Amino acid sequence: MAPTEQTPTTTPAPSACDTERAGARTAAQRALDGIAAFFTLLTERPISLYAAAVLRIGYGLLYLAFLVREFPHRDEIWGPGSPWTPTLARQLFEQTGWGSILTLSDSRAYFEVCYALGVVTCALFMLGWRTRAVSVLFAVVVASFHARAILMTDGGDNLMLLMAVYLVFTACGRRWSLDARRTRLHKAAGRQVRLSPGAGGELRRHLRDARLTVVTVLHNCGMFVIAAQVCFLYGSAGLYKVQGDTWGNGTALHYVLNLHLFQPWPALSHMVDDHDVLIAVACYLTVLLQVAFPFVLFGRLKYPVLCMMLGMHVGIAVLMGLPLFSAAMIVADAVFLPDRFYRSLGRLWQRAVHGTGTGEGGAPPRPEAGLVPAQPGPAG
C-alpha cells in the first residue's frame, strides 16, 4: 500500500490592514498604560518629599534672615513711619487688589506685634511645626510684607512670594521637620489610630483614604507647578536676553559690572571686568544655560547644568550684591534634585555627627536586613 502524501497546510500571511490594526491596538494600550501609571503616581505616592522640605527650610530661613536683617529699619520700610504711608498703601490696594495685614491699623504697637509674629512664623515654618497651618500663615506674612512695600521689592521677593503660596499645597512637613519627628516618635511608641469595626469605622476609613488621596494630589500638583515656574523663569529670561544686542555681542556683563548701584566691591568688579574674553564667554554661557534649562531636566545633563547655575547665582550674589535673589534661585533649583540625593546627604550627615562605624548615639550599628541570623549551637 503506497503511503499517502500529506499536503502541508500554510497559514495566510497577515494583511497590511491587520498589521496596522495590531499596531494601533498596541499603541493605544501603551497610551492607556501610561495614563494609568501617571494617575497612580499622581494619586498614590507623594513625590519629592525631601525637595519640598528643602524648599520649606530654605525659604523659611531666607525670610527669617531678611526680617532680622531689616529689624533696625523696619519702621522706615513697613511701619507707620515709612514715607510710603499706610494710607498710600491702602489707596494702591484699591487699584491693584493687593492686601496686607500691616495696613489694618496705623498703631505702632500693632505693627510691632505683627513684625514679631512674622519672625516667629518664619522660624516655625522653617522648623516644620504644625506645617499645614503654619504654611498658610507664612504665605500671609510674605504677601503682607511684600504688598506693604511693593515699590521696594525685587525679583527675589517676587519668587519667594510665589513659592510661599505654592508650598501651602505641598506636604513640605513630612521630612526634616518637627512634625516628622513627632510622627516617628508616635509610631515608635505604638500610638496608631485603630478604627473600630462596623459602619462607622468603614466610613472613617474611607474618609481617611480620601483625605490622603487629596493631600497626595495637591502635593504632587504643587511640586509640578513649582518646577514649571522655575523652568518658565529661566526660559523666559534666556529668550529675553537673546533679543538684546549687548548679550549678542558679549558685552552685557561689562555694563552690569560698571553700574554703581550694583557694585558692593568696586575693586572686585573692575578686576573681573578687565578680562574681556571671560566676560564674553560668561554672557554666551548664561544665555545658553537659561534657554536650555527646561530641556535638560530629563537626563543626567541636568546635574552639570545645575552646578553651573549654582556658580552663576553665587557670582550674582558676590559681584552684584543681590544675595537674597541669588539664594532664592538656588533654593528653587533644589526642586530638581531627586530624593535619593537628599537621603545620601542625610546619611553623610549622620556619619559626620555620630562618627563612622557607629550608629545613633555612639551605639554599634544594627545588623542589616537580609543577613543570616545567629543560629543556635548544637544541643547537648
Side-chain angles (χ1 to χ4, degrees):
M1 182 175 178
T4 59
E5 295 183 356
Q6 296 181 353
T7 58
T9 59
T10 59
T11 58
S15 62
C17 294
D18 294 336
T19 304
E20 291 179 359
R21 292 194 193 99
R25 284 195 296 268
T26 304
Q29 186 63 36
R30 284 198 301 266
L32 292 176
D33 293 341
I35 294 174
F38 174 77
F39 185 77
T40 301
L41 176 65
L42 181 66
T43 59
E44 295 184 3
R45 186 173 66 87
I47 60 174
S48 301
L49 289 175
Y50 285 95
V54 171
L55 294 177
R56 186 200 78 241
I57 296 171
Y59 288 118
L61 178 60
L62 281 179
Y63 218 78
L64 175 63
F66 175 61
L67 294 180
V68 171
R69 186 192 68 178
E70 301 298 341
F71 181 79
H73 314 288
R74 64 192 183 282
D75 187 48
E76 292 83 357
I77 301 176
W78 301 289
S82 172
W84 187 253
T85 62
T87 302
L88 292 175
R90 285 191 288 267
Q91 292 177 1
L92 182 62
F93 294 161
E94 293 176 358
Q95 302 176 16
T96 61
W98 282 86
S100 174
I101 60 174
L102 300 177
T103 60
L104 297 180
S105 174
D106 295 344
S107 170
R108 185 173 299 277
Y110 173 78
F111 168 72
E112 297 293 346
V113 170
C114 289
Y115 201 90
L117 291 178
V119 172
V120 172
T121 300
C122 293
L124 293 179
F125 182 69
M126 177 188 67
L127 296 175
W129 183 81
R130 306 294 180 185
T131 315
R132 184 64 64 183
V134 174
S135 63
V136 179
L137 297 179
F138 179 73
V140 172
V141 167
V142 175
S144 296
F145 280 89
H146 180 87
R148 177 63 182 87
I150 197 169
L151 301 179
M152 300 179 62
T153 57
D154 58 16
D157 299 322
N158 296 331
L159 180 62
M160 279 199 288
L161 174 61
L162 292 173
M163 293 301 176
V165 175
Y166 297 154
L167 287 175
V168 172
F169 300 95
T170 65
C172 56
R174 291 193 182 180
R175 297 291 186 272
W176 294 345
S177 65
L178 295 179
D179 290 344
R181 181 178 182 274
R182 183 175 60 252
T183 302
R184 188 169 59 252
L185 292 177
H186 285 178
K187 288 183 178 179
R191 300 178 187 175
Q192 297 181 355
V193 180
R194 293 184 176 86
L195 301 178
S196 58
E202 286 293 327
L203 178 60
R204 286 192 293 270
R205 185 177 294 105
H206 287 308
L207 290 177
R208 183 190 62 182
D209 294 341
R211 174 184 173 275
L212 291 177
T213 301
V214 171
V215 170
T216 301
V217 171
L218 288 177
H219 168 81
N220 292 339
C221 291
M223 296 303 294
F224 173 77
V225 171
I226 290 173
Q229 178 70 58
V230 178
C231 290
F232 179 78
L233 192 153
Y234 280 128
S236 59
L239 293 176
Y240 185 79
K241 289 182 175 66
V242 170
Q243 303 175 32
D245 295 334
T246 57
W247 288 98
N249 57 31
T251 60
L253 293 181
H254 162 74
Y255 295 106
V256 172
L257 291 173
N258 286 275
L259 292 175
H260 296 290
L261 186 61
F262 299 103
Q263 282 187 344
W265 294 283
L268 179 61
S269 299
H270 294 321
M271 183 183 68
V272 175
D273 189 41
D274 291 338
H275 299 80
D276 298 336
V277 177
L278 177 63
I279 293 297
V281 171
C283 285
Y284 296 138
L285 186 60
T286 299
V287 176
L288 177 62
L289 289 177
Q290 291 184 339
V291 173
F293 186 85
F295 304 100
V296 300
L297 298 177
F298 305 100
R300 295 183 178 180
L301 191 60
K302 72 176 181 180
Y303 296 107
V305 170
L306 287 174
C307 291
M308 287 186 283
M309 285 294 188
L310 174 63
M312 182 185 73
H313 292 309
V314 171
I316 292 174
V318 175
L319 295 175
M320 299 180 61
L322 296 173
L324 188 65
F325 169 77
S326 298
M329 291 303 304
I330 291 173
V331 174
D333 291 344
V335 74
F336 299 106
L337 295 174
D339 280 352
R340 62 178 180 273
F341 172 81
Y342 295 110
R343 285 193 294 265
S344 63
L345 286 183
R347 289 192 293 268
L348 291 176
W349 171 258
Q350 289 180 357
R351 292 176 185 175
V353 171
H354 302 296
T356 306
T358 58
E360 185 174 357
R366 298 179 180 177
E368 298 181 358
L371 297 179
V372 178
Q375 301 297 320

